[in-house]
Amino acid sequence: ELDVYVWDASGNNDHCTVGVLVSGNCDRENNGSSATIAGNIQTKAGDKVEDVEVSVVAGLPEYPFTKITDLTGEYTFGNNPLGYNYTIKPYHNHNPLNGVSTLDIVLIQKHILGLIEFENAYDLIAADVTGDDRISAQDLLDIRRLILGQTTEFSNATSWKFVDMDQVFFDQTSPWDYDVSIAIDDLQASEMSENFIGIKMGDINGNAIANSSMAAESRSTGVFSFQIEDQEVQLGQTISIPVYADDMSEILGYQFTASFDGLHIKSISSEGIQIHDENYRLTDNKLVMSWNPERAHAVEDALFIIEATSNHTGLLSTMIDINSSLVKAEAYKGESYEVQDISLEFITDIDELAYVLYQNEPNPFVSTTIVGFDLPKADTATLSIFDTDGKLVKTYTGTFAQGHNEIRIDREDINISGIGYYQLESGEFSSTKTMIVLD
């Protein structure tokens, strides 16, 4: 205990006795006139949640007080007078799109259809972005509008919700009666474990970034390709652009941004899959699309058709690009929900796709050369390098997209001089060409 003195301008003074708790982790009871309230905030996976506004409320003139959690997810309020009631409540409403993607829509829809069960009550709470204590198609619409950029926040939920870590869910399938604050009645000693579980709303697969020490994960396992037949269009021409794709039989959803240079998009219409207004947004010269079916199925025809007017003359391949500028371009494959990157291939004639192995460029070369090849469908291929005696010196094996692909070869990796050979094998196709390596 310490005495604190106060003097006014005339020299009058008075003092009071205060209690000081040294270190918020002292394993002893505070015998002073005040106590500390502290705790931490973490996700169900144990990731500490940073930048959470934590408020302590009491029936005292100077309250409430607010602290911001740091990288450790911890907060501390010292010198709280004993004998009063306190309430601790966190708040965090930044970046609602953090961790939210079309894959979360896929998972929620499968839950609604009864095809999967969520692992815990926290996933159910995360899915209820409309705040009506149930999981429905309205939650899917709310999340999709956020992904497409039609809204900047959920209609009736903050970006994060927080639940008392000691919360007991008596019914894991109906966890709606939960505590979003912690009440401390008649504070008599320091309370150092007032902890919360942070729930990123809309994030079912748990890839939200909770603090600044976490890096965004890159979990792609392959490439899913869209195809468009390349053609030259004239200034002012109105054209229909069918969009084809790889094998759709295992694709459970996708999202992407498409940029258009020299094309004015008039409409998007369904063909092999159902595309509704709620699946896309047109803004300036960009198309943002988020789509998923109830169940994956093969598609023989074009997926959808883009109706557009050309603003200048040129090839479609110079006017259209798929990227992640507004929403990350990715597709979800199979029951394990493999995340795949998305590419856009331009082809001359969909019916004339064939295996082609091109001459390496440059040839001859000194340090680096590029071997290009075409595949009629996405498939595994192996490029083998042989020296002049036919001895295998290097192989490159991978899964490549339909259409044109390239492999870079560095001289230091093959360690040959003079004439060499390279052979491409994919399925029953095999082709060999000669390369020249200069000293």
Side-chain angles (χ1 to χ4, degrees), residues 98-312:
N98 177 17
V100 178
S101 71
T102 303
L103 179 55
D104 297 301
I105 295 179
V106 171
L107 296 173
I108 296 173
Q109 185 178 57
K110 283 185 171 291
H111 173 80
I112 293 174
L113 294 173
L115 300 177
I116 63 171
E117 292 292 335
F118 287 157
E119 295 181 356
N120 52 63
Y122 301 123
D123 290 339
L124 287 169
I125 295 173
D128 179 28
V129 297
T130 57
D132 57 0
D133 294 349
R134 63 193 184 102
I135 311 300
S136 68
Q138 192 60 43
D139 295 299
L140 303 181
L141 292 173
D142 218 40
I143 294 174
R144 199 177 316 265
R145 283 195 290 263
L146 183 69
I147 293 171
L148 295 178
Q150 295 170 331
T151 59
T152 58
E153 58 184 18
F154 298 118
S155 61
N156 195 31
T158 54
S159 178
W160 289 77
K161 281 190 177 181
F162 303 94
V163 177
D164 182 355
M165 186 178 287
D166 294 331
Q167 175 78 51
V168 176
F169 298 101
F170 294 102
D171 184 355
Q172 290 284 332
T173 65
S174 182
W176 311 121
D177 186 19
Y178 54 86
D179 294 324
V180 296
S181 62
I182 296 177
I184 302 173
D185 297 329
D186 189 19
L187 179 67
Q188 292 298 317
S190 293
E191 301 287 349
M192 310 303 293
S193 299
E194 306 307 307
N195 304 325
F196 291 88
I197 294 293
I199 303 170
K200 178 61 190 69
M201 299 302 291
D203 175 27
I204 308 304
N205 65 333
N207 65 339
I209 298 175
N211 59 69
S212 55
S213 70
M214 299 175 64
E217 293 184 30
S218 178
R219 302 171 296 143
S220 59
T221 59
V223 178
F224 173 74
S225 295
F226 290 101
Q227 294 93 34
I228 291 177
E229 185 176 356
D230 202 7
Q231 58 177 298
E232 185 173 5
V233 295
Q234 304 299 316
L235 173 64
Q237 180 182 356
T238 298
I239 57 173
S240 296
I241 308 172
V243 180
Y244 297 82
D246 287 343
D247 181 12
M248 291 285 292
S249 62
E250 293 186 86
I251 298 301
L252 298 173
Y254 62 73
Q255 62 180 39
F256 63 81
T257 306
S259 299
F260 301 92
D261 182 11
L263 289 175
H264 172 67
I265 308 305
K266 300 173 65 177
S267 65
I268 308 292
S269 59
S270 301
E271 187 71 9
I273 62 176
Q274 291 296 314
I275 299 290
H276 304 286
D277 290 345
E278 66 198 43
N279 293 118
Y280 68 91
R281 178 173 71 101
L282 292 169
T283 172
D284 298 328
N285 63 336
K286 295 182 185 294
L287 163 68
V288 187
M289 184 173 286
S290 165
W291 173 87
N292 64 287
E294 288 190 2
R295 290 173 175 82
H297 62 278
V299 179
E300 298 295 334
D301 300 321
L303 302 185
F304 54 89
I305 296 175
I306 301 173
E307 299 289 340
T309 301
S310 176
N311 296 329
H312 60 75

Side-chain angles (χ1 to χ4, degrees), residues 362-381:
N363 188 50
F365 71 96
V366 176
S367 59
T368 300
T369 189
I370 301 294
V371 173
F373 58 93
D374 294 344
L375 299 179
K377 63 178 181 178
D379 204 351
T380 300

Side-chain angles (χ1 to χ4, degrees), residues 342-382:
I342 289 181
S343 67
L344 176 60
E345 303 288 344
F346 289 91
I347 53 181
T348 302
D349 190 330
I350 287 184
D351 296 326
E352 295 182 358
L353 286 173
Y355 292 100
V356 180
L357 177 62
Y358 296 97
Q359 184 64 53
N360 63 297
E361 293 183 0
N363 188 50
F365 71 96
V366 176
S367 59
T368 300
T369 189
I370 301 294
V371 173
F373 58 93
D374 294 344
L375 299 179
K377 63 178 181 178
D379 204 351
T380 300
T382 299

